[in-house]
Amino acid sequence: MRDYYEILGVTRGCDEAALKSAFRKLAMEHHPDRNGGCEEAEGRFKEINEAYSILSDAKKRAAYDQFGHAGVNGSQGGQGAGFADVNDIFSEVFGDVFGDMFGARQRRSGPTRGQDLRYDLEISLEQAYAGSEVEIVVPASITCETCDGSGAKPGTSPSVCGSCGGAGRVRASQGFFSIERACPRCGGSGRQVLDPCKDCHGHGQVRRERTLQVRIPAGVDDGARIRLAGEGDGGTQGGPRGDLYIFLSVSPHELFERDGLDLLCTVPVPMTVAALGGEIDAPCLMGGENCDGNCKMTVKVPEGAQTGRTVRLKGKGMPSLRSRDRGDLVVELFVETPTRLTARQKELLRELGDLCGEQQNPKSASFIGKAKRFWEDVTGN
């Protein structure tokens, strides 16, 4: 008889991890189902299982190391691993991969949890800013009230499946192995509805639209998720309901852009106000302090303000979802040039232009100087 260590390709002093790794590799390679039922592969597979069944047991391994095959002949050595041992071995080494295949784990039918549901909800920036409560309509599976979820016609009840005896699983032999799978007659429930309910047609559940109130917390952003426990599909055989996950998206706003907790807004400023300084009205979202009924805030424009200048209003932005912090309202100024001027207005502007020099137009003076140097470099003059 071949040496068990030689069969598995390991040394005598190898540890349990090395032994298990070698067995896993060889068992996968010589599994009869992966070799088209080849008799040689089946024989090699039995030999591998026998070797592992001895060497994986500390007492049997010690006896084998001391006395060889004679030390284990009284238990299992030289006779091949029994089928029950094969089940145990595969359950231990391969777990869920081959557990069902070899009948090592027996599934029982019973209550099952309902499916989770997803609902996509678009809200406005105002709703995200202040928080709100919205009503949604969600289609979901609920327990049939007519049969109370049994699936059977009122006055009757489901019977035990005659194929699996209520276990929900059936076992079939396939060559050297026994394969267990869900009962095809009852679908794994272990029950049969002979006289189905007219409303749910034996399923125990019906599809209905449900109206729910959802609280949107202040400060939510795109991609935020709200979980409503127990508002998903109903479970079967008395199992708990699944959950409902609401994914939020904030629709674009015509005035504001959001940058984290800050709100950005571009506001036109008359040329005269930008030159002389003054005040303008800027929009704000409902709920901001110092905000009147028209949702306006007063913004001070500094004298000589240019397009692109920003004015930051502290604490007037979005609230934080997880703290008491609040972002800022950032107002970007856009200096507006007047159009459709009268003759008198044009005359006054020309007079103003003649009076304004480098002191009043420092950027223009700096630009002209740079431009002159550039032209001189190009022309060589």
Side-chain angles (χ1 to χ4, degrees):
M1 297 182 65
R2 290 183 63 195
D3 180 76
Y4 288 146
Y5 290 102
E6 180 186 341
I7 291 172
L8 295 179
V10 295
T11 60
R12 283 187 172 271
C14 71
D15 58 16
E16 182 179 350
L19 189 70
K20 183 178 292 187
S21 176
F23 170 72
R24 182 194 294 267
K25 180 180 179 180
L26 291 171
M28 290 290 290
E29 180 183 351
H30 297 282
H31 193 291
D33 284 355
R34 301 187 65 180
N35 291 275
C38 173
E39 291 185 4
E40 182 179 349
E42 184 173 331
R44 177 79 172 122
F45 184 71
K46 291 180 181 180
E47 187 179 44
I48 293 167
N49 276 293
E50 178 183 334
Y52 183 75
S53 68
I54 297 298
L55 298 183
S56 61
D57 186 299
K59 292 183 179 179
K60 293 179 183 178
R61 182 174 180 176
Y64 178 75
D65 289 343
Q66 187 172 2
F67 302 107
H69 289 288
V72 293
N73 276 341
S75 56
Q76 198 174 17
Q79 301 173 17
F83 183 74
D85 296 313
V86 174
N87 288 343
D88 294 339
I89 291 170
F90 269 75
S91 178
E92 172 194 353
V93 178
F94 291 95
D96 289 340
V97 177
F98 288 107
D100 281 344
M101 180 179 179
F102 288 90
R105 295 188 296 115
Q106 179 71 22
R107 294 185 179 177
R108 299 291 183 184
S109 60
T112 56
R113 181 179 179 275
Q115 294 288 328
D116 292 336
L117 298 178
R118 171 175 177 149
Y119 187 93
D120 294 323
L121 177 63
E122 185 178 67
I123 61 174
S124 66
L125 185 61
E126 288 85 351
Q127 289 175 310
Y129 178 87
S132 63
E133 187 169 295
V134 298
E135 185 176 274
I136 62 174
V137 178
V138 182
S141 295
I142 62 174
T143 300
C144 177
E145 296 180 354
T146 304
C147 65
D148 198 26
S150 70
K153 182 178 180 180
T156 66
S157 59
S159 57
V160 175
C161 176
S163 294
C164 64
R169 313 283 292 178
V170 292
R171 182 176 295 181
S173 296
Q174 184 173 326
F176 179 69
F177 305 103
S178 178
I179 299 176
E180 187 182 81
R181 60 179 182 271
C183 176
R185 176 171 293 184
C186 65
S189 67
R191 307 181 310 159
Q192 279 187 291
V193 178
L194 301 178
D195 195 0
C197 169
K198 61 180 181 62
D199 290 335
C200 68
H201 307 290
H203 297 293
Q205 294 181 330
V206 291
R207 201 75 173 166
R208 293 285 186 272
E209 289 188 341
R210 304 171 62 239
T211 301
L212 301 173
Q213 298 293 327
V214 181
R215 176 63 186 168
I216 307 297
V220 296
D221 202 350
D222 268 321
R225 186 181 71 174
I226 299 175
R227 172 177 171 265
L228 299 183
E231 297 295 351
D233 276 345
T236 60
Q237 300 186 47
R241 299 186 65 89
D243 298 333
L244 172 64
Y245 290 90
I246 301 174
F247 287 79
L248 301 177
S249 62
V250 181
S251 58
H253 198 279
E254 61 181 356
L255 291 177
F256 300 99
E257 290 185 17
R258 182 172 179 174
D259 182 14
L261 294 182
D262 291 340
L263 291 174
L264 313 179
C265 179
T266 300
V267 180
V269 181
M271 184 181 68
T272 53
V273 176
L276 302 174
E279 295 181 344
I280 59 172
D281 289 332
C284 69
L285 290 178
M286 186 71 69
E289 295 179 7
N290 303 321
C291 179
D292 61 24
N294 294 321
C295 296
K296 297 178 183 178
M297 296 194 70
T298 300
V299 178
K300 292 184 178 181
V301 179
E303 182 178 331
Q306 304 294 318
T307 292
R309 172 108 183 227
T310 58
V311 179
R312 184 175 291 269
L313 303 178
K314 292 289 185 180
K316 309 305 179 185
M318 295 291 295
S320 173
L321 188 62
R322 296 178 178 82
S323 69
R324 301 182 66 180
D325 295 338
R326 188 177 286 269
D328 302 333
L329 174 61
V330 181
V331 179
E332 182 181 29
L333 305 180
F334 180 84
V335 180
E336 193 171 30
T337 304
T339 59
R340 288 180 281 185
L341 301 176
T342 65
R344 176 57 179 161
Q345 290 170 333
K346 293 179 181 179
E347 181 182 352
L348 291 174
L349 282 178
R350 291 191 186 99
E351 184 178 346
L352 176 63
D354 293 338
L355 293 174
C356 290
E358 291 186 0
Q359 186 175 358
Q360 285 77 32
N361 299 286
K363 289 189 177 181
S364 294
S366 175
F367 173 79
I368 291 174
K370 293 176 182 177
K372 284 183 178 179
R373 288 192 295 273
F374 169 74
W375 292 325
E376 290 172 356
D377 292 340
V378 171
T379 60
N381 298 324

